[in-house]
Amino acid sequence: GQWVAALELLAEMTARQVEPHTSTFTSAVIACANGREWGSVLGLLAEMIASQVGPDTTTYNAAITSCAHGGEWRESLGFLVTMVTSRLPLTAWTYNAAISACEKGE
């Protein structure tokens, strides 16, 4: 995957004082998730929250999937809880990813 390039472009945006939106961060999260880089996904979510850019359902779905692939089932379920408390819509993908995380967890 091209997750490194996605992170470099996001950093370049910040350096050029171009504010990333939810969709920008989400694209980077998906790139990292596809690259099985769940640690980078967690960092991006923290950066989103610090920048006051709200993650959406797609962002959290990618994060849940990424953490599931990394065996981080607690993180995955934590994102599910965050989605519920934030009143974000849960989709079949959300539940499937969370169930998959439980399946892979120890």
Side-chain angles (χ1 to χ4, degrees):
Q2 296 298 322
W3 63 273
V4 173
L7 294 179
E8 288 172 350
L9 288 168
L10 188 60
E12 183 178 324
M13 283 182 74
T14 304
R16 293 180 183 266
Q17 299 179 350
V18 177
E19 291 185 29
H21 300 289
T22 299
S23 60
T24 312
F25 274 109
T26 298
S27 294
V29 166
I30 291 169
C32 290
N34 289 339
R36 307 281 172 127
E37 291 293 323
W38 66 269
S40 296
V41 168
L42 297 180
L44 285 169
L45 284 170
E47 188 177 340
M48 285 181 83
I49 292 165
S51 301
Q52 298 182 343
V53 177
D56 62 12
T57 297
T58 304
T59 313
Y60 279 118
N61 284 347
I64 291 168
T65 300
S66 179
C67 289
H69 289 305
E72 299 296 321
W73 65 273
R74 286 182 181 92
E75 291 286 348
S76 291
L77 295 183
F79 290 136
L80 183 68
V81 169
T82 299
M83 289 178 73
V84 170
T85 58
S86 300
R87 299 181 188 259
L88 289 171
L90 305 177
T91 64
W93 183 16
T94 308
Y95 286 107
N96 185 48
I99 291 167
S100 178
C102 293
E103 173 190 14
K104 294 174 182 165
E106 295 180 14

